[in-house]
Amino acid sequence: YTDADGNERLIEITWKEQTGFIYDTATLEKLEEFEYKTGHGNQGWGITYNPSEEEFIVSDGSKFLYFWDRDTLAEKRKVGVTRLDGRDQNQLNELE
C-alpha cells in the first residue's frame, strides 16, 4: 500500500499474537509494530488494502470483515458476510 506521504509499504498481521508489522517495501526494514483486536479470539487471518477508500480490510476467521483506517489503523466499521441463502459465511480468509 501507499502511505499518506506516498511511500510504498507492506503490512503483515500475525494469526494469534494480535501483532502487526509495517515494512518499507524497498528495504523490508520494519518501520512499525502494532497491536490489534478483532472479535473472533483476536485472530488475524487475512488483510488486504482498498486504495480507493484508503483502508485495510481484515478477516479473523469469523463472518465479519473489519475495515481499518490506513493512517491510524483504527476500526472504521465491520460488516457481517452472509451467503445468498442468508446463512452466515464463517471462516473468511485469504483476502486479496
Side-chain angles (χ1 to χ4, degrees):
Y1 76 97
T2 303
D3 70 12
D5 296 321
N7 301 304
E8 294 293 319
R9 300 292 185 234
L10 174 69
I11 191 167
E12 171 187 30
I13 57 173
T14 58
W15 176 33
K16 293 186 177 181
E17 300 299 321
Q18 298 95 41
T19 305
F21 306 94
I22 296 176
Y23 303 93
D24 179 281
T25 57
T27 64
L28 295 182
E29 173 189 358
K30 183 172 67 173
L31 303 173
E32 186 177 341
E33 185 171 324
F34 62 93
E35 293 183 5
Y36 68 88
K37 301 277 186 218
T38 61
H40 183 70
N42 294 316
Q43 295 181 1
W45 283 34
I47 188 168
T48 192
Y49 182 66
N50 178 357
S52 66
E53 297 294 327
E54 296 182 341
E55 64 188 5
F56 296 103
I57 305 168
V58 180
S59 66
D60 64 357
S62 70
K63 70 174 187 174
F64 291 105
L65 293 175
Y66 301 86
F67 296 81
W68 293 355
D69 181 80
R70 177 195 65 188
D71 301 321
T72 65
L73 302 176
E75 183 180 310
K76 296 165 62 176
R77 67 188 180 286
K78 71 178 182 180
V79 174
V81 178
T82 57
R83 294 175 174 259
L84 290 175
D85 65 7
R87 291 183 297 140
D88 290 343
Q89 177 58 58
N90 292 312
Q91 298 183 340
L92 293 172
N93 193 7
E94 300 300 325
L95 303 177
E96 285 129 11

Coordinates of all heavy atoms in Angstrom, one line a residue:
Y1 N 0.8 -1.2 0.0 CA 0.0 0.0 0.0 C 0.9 1.2 0.0 O 2.1 1.2 0.3 CB -1.0 0.0 1.2 CG -0.4 0.3 2.5 CD1 -0.4 1.6 3.1 CD2 0.3 -0.7 3.3 CE1 0.1 1.9 4.3 CE2 0.8 -0.4 4.5 CZ 0.7 0.9 5.0 OH 1.3 1.2 6.2
T2 N 0.3 2.4 -0.3 CA 1.0 3.6 -0.3 C 0.5 4.4 0.9 O -0.7 4.6 1.1 CB 0.7 4.4 -1.6 OG1 1.1 3.6 -2.7 CG2 1.5 5.7 -1.6
D3 N 1.4 4.9 1.8 CA 1.0 5.6 3.0 C 0.7 7.1 2.6 O 0.8 7.5 1.4 CB 2.1 5.5 4.1 CG 3.4 6.3 3.8 OD1 3.4 7.1 2.8 OD2 4.4 6.0 4.5
A4 N 0.3 7.9 3.6 CA -0.1 9.3 3.4 C 1.0 10.1 2.8 O 0.7 11.1 2.1 CB -0.6 9.9 4.7
D5 N 2.3 9.8 3.0 CA 3.4 10.5 2.4 C 3.8 10.0 1.0 O 4.8 10.5 0.5 CB 4.6 10.5 3.4 CG 4.2 11.1 4.7 OD1 3.6 12.2 4.7 OD2 4.7 10.6 5.7
G6 N 3.1 9.0 0.5 CA 3.4 8.5 -0.8 C 4.4 7.4 -0.8 O 4.9 7.0 -1.9
N7 N 4.8 6.9 0.4 CA 5.8 5.8 0.5 C 5.1 4.4 0.3 O 4.1 4.2 0.9 CB 6.5 5.9 1.8 CG 7.2 7.2 2.0 OD1 8.0 7.6 1.3 ND2 6.8 7.9 3.1
E8 N 5.8 3.5 -0.4 CA 5.3 2.2 -0.6 C 5.6 1.4 0.7 O 6.7 1.4 1.2 CB 5.9 1.5 -1.8 CG 5.6 2.1 -3.1 CD 4.1 2.0 -3.4 OE1 3.6 0.9 -3.2 OE2 3.5 2.9 -3.9
R9 N 4.5 0.7 1.2 CA 4.7 0.0 2.5 C 4.1 -1.4 2.3 O 3.2 -1.6 1.4 CB 3.9 0.7 3.6 CG 4.5 2.1 3.9 CD 5.8 2.1 4.5 NE 6.3 3.4 4.9 CZ 7.5 3.8 4.5 NH1 8.2 3.2 3.6 NH2 7.9 5.0 4.9
L10 N 4.5 -2.3 3.2 CA 3.9 -3.6 3.3 C 3.4 -3.8 4.7 O 4.1 -3.4 5.7 CB 5.1 -4.7 3.0 CG 4.8 -6.1 3.2 CD1 3.8 -6.6 2.1 CD2 6.0 -6.9 3.1
I11 N 2.2 -4.4 4.8 CA 1.6 -4.6 6.2 C 1.5 -6.1 6.3 O 1.2 -6.9 5.4 CB 0.3 -3.9 6.3 CG1 -0.1 -3.9 7.8 CG2 -0.8 -4.4 5.4 CD1 -1.3 -3.0 8.1
E12 N 1.7 -6.6 7.6 CA 1.5 -8.0 7.9 C 0.9 -8.1 9.3 O 1.1 -7.3 10.2 CB 2.9 -8.6 8.0 CG 3.0 -10.0 8.6 CD 4.5 -10.5 8.8 OE1 5.4 -9.6 9.0 OE2 4.7 -11.7 8.7
I13 N 0.0 -9.1 9.4 CA -0.6 -9.3 10.8 C -0.3 -10.8 11.1 O -0.3 -11.7 10.2 CB -2.1 -9.0 10.8 CG1 -2.9 -9.8 9.8 CG2 -2.4 -7.5 10.7 CD1 -4.4 -9.6 9.9
T14 N -0.2 -11.0 12.4 CA 0.0 -12.4 12.9 C -1.3 -13.1 13.1 O -2.3 -12.4 13.3 CB 0.8 -12.4 14.2 OG1 0.1 -11.6 15.2 CG2 2.2 -11.8 14.0
W15 N -1.3 -14.4 13.1 CA -2.5 -15.2 13.2 C -3.1 -15.1 14.7 O -4.2 -14.7 14.9 CB -2.2 -16.6 12.9 CG -3.4 -17.5 13.0 CD1 -4.7 -17.3 12.9 CD2 -3.3 -18.9 13.4 NE1 -5.5 -18.4 13.1 CE2 -4.6 -19.4 13.5 CE3 -2.3 -19.8 13.7 CZ2 -4.9 -20.7 13.8 CZ3 -2.6 -21.1 14.0 CH2 -3.9 -21.5 14.0
K16 N -2.3 -15.4 15.7 CA -2.8 -15.4 17.0 C -2.1 -14.5 18.0 O -2.6 -14.4 19.2 CB -2.6 -16.9 17.6 CG -3.5 -17.9 16.9 CD -3.3 -19.2 17.5 CE -4.3 -20.2 16.9 NZ -4.2 -21.5 17.6
E17 N -1.1 -13.8 17.6 CA -0.4 -12.9 18.6 C -0.9 -11.5 18.7 O -0.4 -10.7 19.5 CB 1.1 -12.9 18.2 CG 1.8 -14.2 18.2 CD 1.8 -14.9 19.5 OE1 2.0 -14.2 20.5 OE2 1.7 -16.1 19.6
Q18 N -1.9 -11.2 17.9 CA -2.5 -9.8 17.9 C -1.5 -8.7 17.6 O -1.6 -7.6 18.2 CB -3.3 -9.5 19.2 CG -4.4 -10.4 19.5 CD -4.0 -11.5 20.4 OE1 -3.3 -11.4 21.3 NE2 -4.5 -12.7 20.1
T19 N -0.5 -9.0 16.8 CA 0.6 -8.1 16.5 C 0.6 -7.9 15.0 O 0.5 -8.9 14.2 CB 1.9 -8.6 17.0 OG1 1.8 -8.9 18.4 CG2 3.0 -7.6 16.8
G20 N 0.9 -6.7 14.6 CA 1.1 -6.4 13.1 C 2.4 -5.6 12.9 O 2.9 -5.1 13.9
F21 N 2.8 -5.6 11.7 CA 4.1 -5.0 11.3 C 3.9 -4.2 10.0 O 3.2 -4.7 9.1 CB 5.2 -6.1 11.2 CG 5.3 -7.0 12.3 CD1 4.7 -8.2 12.4 CD2 6.1 -6.6 13.4 CE1 4.8 -9.0 13.4 CE2 6.2 -7.5 14.5 CZ 5.6 -8.7 14.5
I22 N 4.6 -3.1 9.9 CA 4.6 -2.4 8.7 C 6.1 -2.2 8.3 O 6.9 -1.9 9.1 CB 4.0 -1.0 8.9 CG1 2.5 -1.1 9.2 CG2 4.2 -0.1 7.6 CD1 1.8 0.2 9.5
Y23 N 6.3 -2.5 7.0 CA 7.7 -2.5 6.5 C 7.8 -1.6 5.3 O 6.9 -1.3 4.6 CB 8.1 -3.9 5.9 CG 7.9 -5.0 6.9 CD1 6.7 -5.8 7.0 CD2 9.0 -5.4 7.8 CE1 6.6 -6.8 7.9 CE2 8.8 -6.4 8.7 CZ 7.7 -7.1 8.8 OH 7.5 -8.2 9.6
D24 N 9.1 -1.1 5.1 CA 9.4 -0.4 3.9 C 9.5 -1.4 2.8 O 10.3 -2.4 2.9 CB 10.7 0.4 4.1 CG 11.2 1.1 2.8 OD1 11.7 0.5 1.9 OD2 11.0 2.3 2.8
T25 N 8.9 -1.2 1.6 CA 8.9 -2.2 0.6 C 10.3 -2.3 -0.1 O 10.6 -3.4 -0.6 CB 7.8 -2.0 -0.5 OG1 8.0 -0.7 -1.0 CG2 6.4 -2.2 0.1
A26 N 11.0 -1.3 -0.2 CA 12.3 -1.3 -0.9 C 13.4 -2.0 -0.1 O 14.2 -2.8 -0.6 CB 12.8 0.1 -1.2
T27 N 13.3 -1.9 1.3 CA 14.4 -2.4 2.1 C 13.9 -3.6 3.0 O 14.7 -4.3 3.6 CB 15.0 -1.4 3.0 OG1 14.0 -0.9 3.9 CG2 15.5 -0.2 2.2
L28 N 12.6 -3.7 3.2 CA 12.0 -4.6 4.1 C 12.3 -4.3 5.6 O 12.2 -5.1 6.5 CB 12.3 -6.1 3.8 CG 11.7 -6.6 2.5 CD1 12.0 -8.0 2.2 CD2 10.2 -6.3 2.4
E29 N 12.8 -3.1 5.8 CA 13.0 -2.6 7.2 C 11.7 -2.5 7.9 O 10.7 -1.9 7.4 CB 13.7 -1.3 7.1 CG 13.9 -0.7 8.5 CD 14.4 0.8 8.5 OE1 14.7 1.3 7.4 OE2 14.5 1.4 9.5
K30 N 11.7 -3.1 9.1 CA 10.4 -2.9 9.9 C 10.4 -1.5 10.4 O 11.3 -1.0 11.1 CB 10.5 -3.9 11.1 CG 9.2 -3.8 11.9 CD 9.1 -4.9 13.0 CE 10.1 -4.8 14.0 NZ 10.0 -5.7 15.2
L31 N 9.3 -0.8 10.1 CA 9.1 0.6 10.5 C 8.2 0.7 11.7 O 8.3 1.7 12.4 CB 8.5 1.4 9.3 CG 9.3 1.3 8.0 CD1 8.5 2.0 6.9 CD2 10.6 2.0 8.2
E32 N 7.3 -0.2 11.9 CA 6.3 -0.1 12.9 C 5.8 -1.4 13.4 O 5.7 -2.3 12.5 CB 5.1 0.8 12.4 CG 4.1 1.1 13.5 CD 2.9 2.0 12.9 OE1 3.1 2.6 11.9 OE2 1.9 2.0 13.5
E33 N 5.5 -1.6 14.6 CA 4.9 -2.7 15.2 C 3.6 -2.2 16.0 O 3.7 -1.2 16.6 CB 5.8 -3.5 16.2 CG 5.3 -4.8 16.7 CD 6.4 -5.5 17.5 OE1 7.6 -5.5 17.1 OE2 6.0 -6.2 18.5
F34 N 2.5 -3.0 15.8 CA 1.3 -2.5 16.4 C 0.5 -3.7 16.9 O 0.7 -4.8 16.5 CB 0.5 -1.7 15.5 CG 0.0 -2.4 14.2 CD1 -1.2 -3.0 14.2 CD2 0.8 -2.4 13.1 CE1 -1.7 -3.7 13.0 CE2 0.4 -3.1 12.0 CZ -0.8 -3.7 11.9
E35 N -0.4 -3.4 17.9 CA -1.3 -4.4 18.4 C -2.7 -4.2 17.8 O -3.0 -3.0 17.5 CB -1.4 -4.4 19.9 CG -0.1 -4.8 20.6 CD -0.2 -4.8 22.1 OE1 -1.3 -4.6 22.7 OE2 0.8 -5.0 22.8
Y36 N -3.4 -5.2 17.7 CA -4.8 -5.1 17.1 C -5.7 -6.0 17.8 O -5.3 -7.0 18.5 CB -4.8 -5.3 15.6 CG -4.5 -6.8 15.2 CD1 -5.6 -7.7 15.2 CD2 -3.2 -7.2 15.0 CE1 -5.3 -9.0 14.9 CE2 -3.0 -8.5 14.7 CZ -4.0 -9.4 14.6 OH -3.8 -10.7 14.3
K37 N -7.0 -5.7 17.7 CA -8.1 -6.5 18.3 C -9.1 -6.8 17.2 O -9.4 -5.9 16.4 CB -8.8 -5.8 19.5 CG -7.8 -5.5 20.6 CD -7.6 -6.7 21.5 CE -6.8 -6.2 22.7 NZ -5.9 -7.2 23.1
T38 N -9.6 -8.0 17.2 CA -10.8 -8.4 16.3 C -11.7 -9.1 17.3 O -11.5 -9.3 18.4 CB -10.4 -9.3 15.2 OG1 -9.8 -10.5 15.7 CG2 -9.4 -8.6 14.2
G39 N -12.9 -9.5 16.7 CA -13.9 -10.1 17.5 C -13.8 -11.6 17.8 O -14.3 -12.1 18.7
H40 N -13.1 -12.3 16.9 CA -13.0 -13.7 16.9 C -11.7 -14.2 17.5 O -10.8 -14.6 16.8 CB -13.2 -14.3 15.5 CG -13.2 -15.8 15.4 ND1 -14.2 -16.5 15.9 CD2 -12.3 -16.6 14.9 CE1 -14.0 -17.8 15.6 NE2 -12.8 -17.9 15.0
G41 N -11.6 -14.1 18.8 CA -10.4 -14.5 19.5 C -9.2 -13.7 19.1 O -8.0 -14.1 19.3
N42 N -9.4 -12.5 18.6 CA -8.4 -11.6 18.2 C -7.4 -12.2 17.3 O -6.2 -12.0 17.4 CB -7.7 -11.0 19.4 CG -8.6 -10.1 20.2 OD1 -9.3 -9.3 19.6 ND2 -8.6 -10.3 21.5
Q43 N -7.9 -13.0 16.3 CA -7.0 -13.7 15.4 C -6.9 -12.8 14.1 O -7.9 -12.1 13.7 CB -7.5 -15.1 15.0 CG -7.5 -16.0 16.2 CD -8.0 -17.4 15.8 OE1 -8.3 -17.7 14.7 NE2 -8.0 -18.3 16.8
G44 N -5.8 -12.9 13.4 CA -5.6 -12.3 12.1 C -5.5 -13.3 11.0 O -4.5 -14.0 11.0
W45 N -6.5 -13.5 10.2 CA -6.5 -14.5 9.1 C -6.1 -13.9 7.8 O -5.5 -14.6 7.0 CB -7.8 -15.2 9.1 CG -8.1 -16.2 10.1 CD1 -7.7 -16.1 11.4 CD2 -8.8 -17.4 10.0 NE1 -8.1 -17.2 12.1 CE2 -8.8 -18.0 11.3 CE3 -9.5 -18.0 9.0 CZ2 -9.5 -19.2 11.5 CZ3 -10.1 -19.2 9.2 CH2 -10.1 -19.8 10.5
G46 N -6.4 -12.7 7.5 CA -6.1 -12.1 6.2 C -6.2 -10.6 6.3 O -7.0 -10.0 7.1
I47 N -5.4 -9.9 5.4 CA -5.5 -8.5 5.3 C -5.2 -8.1 3.9 O -4.4 -8.7 3.2 CB -4.5 -7.8 6.3 CG1 -4.7 -6.3 6.3 CG2 -3.1 -8.2 6.0 CD1 -4.0 -5.6 7.5
T48 N -6.0 -7.1 3.4 CA -5.8 -6.5 2.1 C -6.0 -5.0 2.2 O -6.5 -4.5 3.2 CB -6.7 -7.2 1.0 OG1 -6.3 -6.9 -0.3 CG2 -8.1 -6.9 1.3
Y49 N -5.7 -4.4 1.1 CA -5.8 -2.9 1.1 C -6.7 -2.4 0.0 O -6.6 -2.9 -1.2 CB -4.4 -2.3 0.9 CG -4.5 -0.8 1.0 CD1 -4.8 -0.1 2.1 CD2 -4.1 0.0 -0.2 CE1 -4.8 1.3 2.2 CE2 -4.1 1.4 -0.1 CZ -4.5 2.0 1.0 OH -4.5 3.4 1.1
N50 N -7.7 -1.5 0.3 CA -8.5 -0.9 -0.7 C -8.0 0.5 -0.9 O -8.3 1.4 -0.1 CB -10.0 -0.9 -0.2 CG -10.9 -0.3 -1.2 OD1 -10.5 0.3 -2.2 ND2 -12.2 -0.3 -0.8
P51 N -7.3 0.8 -2.0 CA -6.7 2.1 -2.2 C -7.8 3.2 -2.5 O -7.6 4.3 -2.1 CB -5.8 1.9 -3.4 CG -6.3 0.7 -4.1 CD -6.9 -0.2 -3.1
S52 N -8.9 2.8 -3.1 CA -9.9 3.8 -3.3 C -10.5 4.4 -2.1 O -11.0 5.6 -2.0 CB -11.0 3.3 -4.3 OG -11.7 2.3 -3.6
E53 N -10.6 3.6 -1.0 CA -11.1 4.1 0.3 C -10.0 4.3 1.3 O -10.3 4.7 2.4 CB -12.1 3.0 0.9 CG -13.3 2.8 0.0 CD -14.2 4.0 -0.1 OE1 -14.3 4.8 0.9 OE2 -14.8 4.2 -1.1
E54 N -8.7 4.1 0.9 CA -7.6 4.2 1.8 C -7.8 3.5 3.1 O -7.7 4.1 4.2 CB -7.2 5.7 2.0 CG -6.8 6.3 0.8 CD -6.4 7.8 0.9 OE1 -6.8 8.4 2.0 OE2 -5.7 8.3 0.0
E55 N -8.2 2.2 3.0 CA -8.4 1.4 4.2 C -8.0 -0.1 4.0 O -8.0 -0.5 2.9 CB -9.9 1.5 4.6 CG -10.8 0.9 3.6 CD -12.3 1.1 3.9 OE1 -12.7 1.8 4.8 OE2 -13.1 0.5 3.1
F56 N -7.7 -0.7 5.1 CA -7.4 -2.1 5.1 C -8.7 -2.9 5.4 O -9.6 -2.4 6.1 CB -6.4 -2.4 6.2 CG -5.1 -1.8 6.0 CD1 -4.7 -0.7 6.7 CD2 -4.2 -2.3 5.0 CE1 -3.5 0.0 6.5 CE2 -3.0 -1.7 4.8 CZ -2.6 -0.5 5.5
I57 N -8.8 -4.1 4.8 CA -9.9 -5.0 5.1 C -9.3 -6.2 5.7 O -8.3 -6.8 5.2 CB -10.6 -5.4 3.8 CG1 -11.1 -4.1 3.1 CG2 -11.8 -6.3 4.1 CD1 -11.6 -4.3 1.7
V58 N -9.8 -6.6 6.9 CA -9.1 -7.6 7.7 C -10.2 -8.7 8.0 O -11.3 -8.4 8.3 CB -8.6 -7.0 9.1 CG1 -8.0 -8.1 9.9 CG2 -7.7 -5.9 8.8
S59 N -9.7 -10.0 8.0 CA -10.6 -11.1 8.4 C -9.9 -11.8 9.6 O -8.7 -11.8 9.8 CB -10.7 -12.1 7.2 OG -9.5 -12.7 6.9
D60 N -10.8 -12.4 10.4 CA -10.4 -13.0 11.6 C -10.9 -14.5 11.8 O -10.9 -15.0 12.8 CB -10.7 -12.2 12.9 CG -12.2 -12.1 13.1 OD1 -13.0 -12.6 12.2 OD2 -12.6 -11.5 14.1
G61 N -11.4 -15.0 10.7 CA -11.9 -16.4 10.7 C -13.4 -16.4 11.1 O -14.0 -17.5 11.1
S62 N -14.0 -15.3 11.3 CA -15.4 -15.3 11.6 C -16.2 -14.9 10.3 O -15.6 -14.9 9.2 CB -15.7 -14.2 12.7 OG -15.5 -12.9 12.2
K63 N -17.4 -14.5 10.5 CA -18.2 -14.0 9.4 C -18.0 -12.5 9.1 O -18.5 -11.9 8.1 CB -19.7 -14.2 9.6 CG -20.3 -13.3 10.7 CD -21.8 -13.5 10.8 CE -22.4 -12.5 11.7 NZ -23.9 -12.6 11.8
F64 N -17.2 -11.8 9.9 CA -17.0 -10.4 9.8 C -15.8 -10.0 9.0 O -14.7 -10.7 9.1 CB -16.9 -9.8 11.2 CG -18.2 -9.8 11.9 CD1 -18.4 -10.7 13.0 CD2 -19.3 -9.0 11.6 CE1 -19.6 -10.8 13.7 CE2 -20.5 -9.0 12.3 CZ -20.6 -9.9 13.3
L65 N -15.9 -8.9 8.3 CA -14.8 -8.2 7.7 C -14.7 -6.9 8.5 O -15.6 -6.2 8.7 CB -15.0 -7.9 6.2 CG -15.0 -9.1 5.3 CD1 -15.4 -8.7 3.9 CD2 -13.7 -9.9 5.4
Y66 N -13.4 -6.6 8.9 CA -13.2 -5.3 9.6 C -12.5 -4.3 8.7 O -11.5 -4.7 8.0 CB -12.3 -5.6 10.8 CG -12.9 -6.6 11.7 CD1 -12.7 -8.0 11.5 CD2 -13.6 -6.2 12.8 CE1 -13.3 -8.9 12.4 CE2 -14.2 -7.2 13.7 CZ -14.0 -8.5 13.5 OH -14.6 -9.4 14.3
F67 N -12.9 -3.1 8.8 CA -12.3 -2.1 7.9 C -11.5 -1.1 8.8 O -12.1 -0.5 9.7 CB -13.4 -1.3 7.1 CG -14.1 -2.2 6.2 CD1 -15.1 -3.1 6.6 CD2 -13.8 -2.2 4.8 CE1 -15.8 -4.0 5.8 CE2 -14.4 -3.1 4.0 CZ -15.4 -4.0 4.4
W68 N -10.2 -1.0 8.5 CA -9.3 -0.2 9.3 C -8.8 1.0 8.5 O -8.5 0.9 7.4 CB -8.0 -1.0 9.7 CG -8.2 -2.1 10.7 CD1 -9.4 -2.5 11.3 CD2 -7.2 -3.1 11.0 NE1 -9.1 -3.6 12.1 CE2 -7.8 -4.0 11.9 CE3 -5.9 -3.2 10.7 CZ2 -7.1 -5.0 12.5 CZ3 -5.2 -4.2 11.3 CH2 -5.8 -5.1 12.2
D69 N -8.7 2.1 9.2 CA -8.2 3.4 8.6 C -6.7 3.1 8.3 O -6.0 2.6 9.1 CB -8.3 4.5 9.6 CG -7.8 5.8 9.0 OD1 -8.5 6.4 8.3 OD2 -6.7 6.2 9.4
R70 N -6.3 3.6 7.1 CA -4.9 3.4 6.6 C -3.9 4.1 7.6 O -2.9 3.5 7.9 CB -4.8 4.0 5.2 CG -3.3 3.9 4.7 CD -3.0 4.8 3.5 NE -3.2 6.2 3.9 CZ -3.2 7.1 3.0 NH1 -3.1 6.9 1.7 NH2 -3.4 8.4 3.4
D71 N -4.2 5.3 8.1 CA -3.2 6.0 8.8 C -3.2 5.7 10.3 O -2.2 5.8 10.9 CB -3.5 7.5 8.6 CG -3.3 7.9 7.1 OD1 -2.5 7.3 6.4 OD2 -4.1 8.7 6.6
T72 N -4.4 5.5 10.9 CA -4.5 5.3 12.3 C -4.6 3.8 12.7 O -4.5 3.4 13.8 CB -5.7 6.0 12.9 OG1 -6.9 5.4 12.4 CG2 -5.6 7.5 12.6
L73 N -5.0 2.9 11.7 CA -5.3 1.5 11.9 C -6.5 1.3 12.8 O -6.7 0.2 13.3 CB -4.1 0.8 12.4 CG -2.8 0.8 11.5 CD1 -1.7 0.1 12.2 CD2 -3.1 0.2 10.2
A74 N -7.3 2.4 13.1 CA -8.5 2.2 13.9 C -9.6 1.6 13.1 O -9.7 1.8 11.9 CB -8.9 3.6 14.3
E75 N -10.4 0.8 13.7 CA -11.5 0.1 13.1 C -12.5 1.2 12.7 O -13.0 1.9 13.6 CB -12.1 -0.9 14.0 CG -13.3 -1.7 13.3 CD -13.9 -2.7 14.2 OE1 -13.1 -3.5 14.7 OE2 -15.1 -2.7 14.3
K76 N -12.9 1.3 11.4 CA -13.9 2.2 11.0 C -15.3 1.6 11.0 O -16.3 2.3 11.3 CB -13.6 2.7 9.5 CG -12.3 3.4 9.4 CD -11.8 3.6 8.0 CE -12.7 4.3 7.1 NZ -12.1 4.5 5.7
R77 N -15.4 0.3 10.7 CA -16.6 -0.4 10.7 C -16.3 -1.9 10.5 O -15.2 -2.3 10.2 CB -17.5 0.1 9.6 CG -17.0 -0.2 8.2 CD -17.9 0.5 7.1 NE -17.4 0.2 5.8 CZ -16.3 0.7 5.2 NH1 -15.5 1.5 5.9 NH2 -16.0 0.4 3.9
K78 N -17.4 -2.7 10.7 CA -17.3 -4.1 10.4 C -18.6 -4.5 9.7 O -19.6 -4.0 10.0 CB -17.0 -5.0 11.6 CG -18.1 -5.1 12.6 CD -17.6 -6.0 13.7 CE -18.8 -6.2 14.7 NZ -18.4 -7.1 15.8
V79 N -18.4 -5.5 8.8 CA -19.6 -6.0 8.1 C -19.7 -7.5 8.2 O -18.7 -8.2 8.0 CB -19.4 -5.6 6.6 CG1 -20.5 -6.2 5.7 CG2 -19.3 -4.1 6.4
G80 N -20.9 -8.0 8.5 CA -21.1 -9.4 8.5 C -21.4 -9.9 7.1 O -22.2 -9.3 6.4
V81 N -20.8 -11.1 6.7 CA -21.0 -11.6 5.4 C -21.9 -12.8 5.5 O -21.7 -13.7 6.3 CB -19.6 -12.0 4.8 CG1 -19.8 -12.6 3.4 CG2 -18.7 -10.8 4.7
T82 N -22.9 -12.8 4.6 CA -23.8 -14.0 4.5 C -23.8 -14.5 3.1 O -23.5 -13.9 2.2 CB -25.2 -13.6 4.9 OG1 -25.7 -12.5 4.1 CG2 -25.3 -13.1 6.4
R83 N -24.2 -15.8 3.0 CA -24.4 -16.5 1.8 C -25.7 -16.0 1.1 O -26.5 -15.3 1.8 CB -24.4 -18.0 2.0 CG -23.1 -18.5 2.5 CD -23.3 -20.0 2.7 NE -22.0 -20.6 3.1 CZ -21.3 -21.3 2.2 NH1 -21.7 -21.6 1.0 NH2 -20.1 -21.8 2.6
L84 N -25.9 -16.4 -0.1 CA -27.2 -16.0 -0.8 C -28.4 -16.5 -0.1 O -29.5 -15.9 -0.2 CB -27.1 -16.5 -2.3 CG -26.1 -15.7 -3.2 CD1 -26.1 -16.4 -4.6 CD2 -26.5 -14.3 -3.3
D85 N -28.3 -17.6 0.6 CA -29.4 -18.2 1.3 C -29.6 -17.6 2.7 O -30.5 -18.1 3.4 CB -29.4 -19.7 1.3 CG -28.2 -20.2 2.1 OD1 -27.5 -19.4 2.8 OD2 -27.9 -21.5 2.1
G86 N -28.8 -16.6 3.0 CA -28.9 -16.0 4.3 C -28.1 -16.6 5.5 O -28.0 -16.0 6.5
R87 N -27.5 -17.7 5.2 CA -26.6 -18.3 6.3 C -25.3 -17.5 6.4 O -24.8 -16.9 5.4 CB -26.3 -19.7 5.9 CG -27.4 -20.7 6.0 CD -27.0 -22.1 5.7 NE -26.5 -22.2 4.4 CZ -25.4 -22.9 4.0 NH1 -24.7 -23.6 4.9 NH2 -25.0 -23.0 2.7
D88 N -24.8 -17.4 7.6 CA -23.5 -16.8 7.9 C -22.4 -17.5 7.1 O -22.4 -18.7 7.0 CB -23.1 -16.8 9.4 CG -24.0 -15.9 10.2 OD1 -24.7 -15.0 9.6 OD2 -24.0 -16.1 11.4
Q89 N -21.5 -16.7 6.6 CA -20.3 -17.2 5.9 C -19.1 -17.1 6.9 O -18.5 -16.0 7.0 CB -20.0 -16.5 4.6 CG -18.7 -16.9 3.9 CD -18.7 -18.4 3.6 OE1 -19.6 -18.9 2.9 NE2 -17.8 -19.1 4.2
N90 N -18.9 -18.1 7.6 CA -17.8 -18.1 8.6 C -16.5 -18.5 7.9 O -16.4 -18.9 6.8 CB -18.1 -19.1 9.7 CG -19.2 -18.7 10.6 OD1 -19.3 -17.5 11.0 ND2 -20.2 -19.5 10.8
Q91 N -15.4 -18.3 8.7 CA -14.0 -18.7 8.3 C -13.6 -17.9 7.1 O -12.9 -18.4 6.2 CB -13.9 -20.2 8.1 CG -14.2 -21.0 9.3 CD -13.9 -22.4 9.2 OE1 -13.9 -23.0 8.1 NE2 -13.7 -23.1 10.3
L92 N -13.9 -16.6 7.0 CA -13.4 -15.7 6.0 C -11.9 -15.7 6.1 O -11.3 -15.5 7.2 CB -14.0 -14.4 6.1 CG -15.5 -14.3 5.8 CD1 -16.0 -12.9 6.1 CD2 -15.8 -14.7 4.3
N93 N -11.2 -15.8 5.0 CA -9.7 -15.9 5.0 C -9.2 -15.5 3.6 O -10.0 -15.3 2.7 CB -9.3 -17.3 5.3 CG -7.9 -17.5 5.6 OD1 -7.1 -16.5 5.8 ND2 -7.4 -18.7 5.8
E94 N -7.9 -15.4 3.5 CA -7.2 -15.2 2.2 C -7.8 -14.1 1.4 O -8.3 -14.2 0.3 CB -7.3 -16.5 1.4 CG -6.6 -17.7 2.0 CD -5.1 -17.5 2.3 OE1 -4.4 -16.9 1.5 OE2 -4.7 -18.0 3.3
L95 N -7.7 -12.9 2.0 CA -8.2 -11.7 1.3 C -7.2 -11.2 0.3 O -6.0 -11.1 0.6 CB -8.5 -10.6 2.3 CG -9.4 -11.0 3.4 CD1 -9.6 -9.8 4.4 CD2 -10.8 -11.3 2.9
E96 N -7.6 -10.9 -0.9 CA -6.7 -10.4 -1.9 C -7.3 -9.2 -2.6 O -8.4 -9.0 -2.7 CB -6.4 -11.5 -2.9 CG -5.4 -12.5 -2.3 CD -5.8 -13.9 -2.5 OE1 -6.8 -14.2 -3.2 OE2 -5.2 -14.8 -1.8

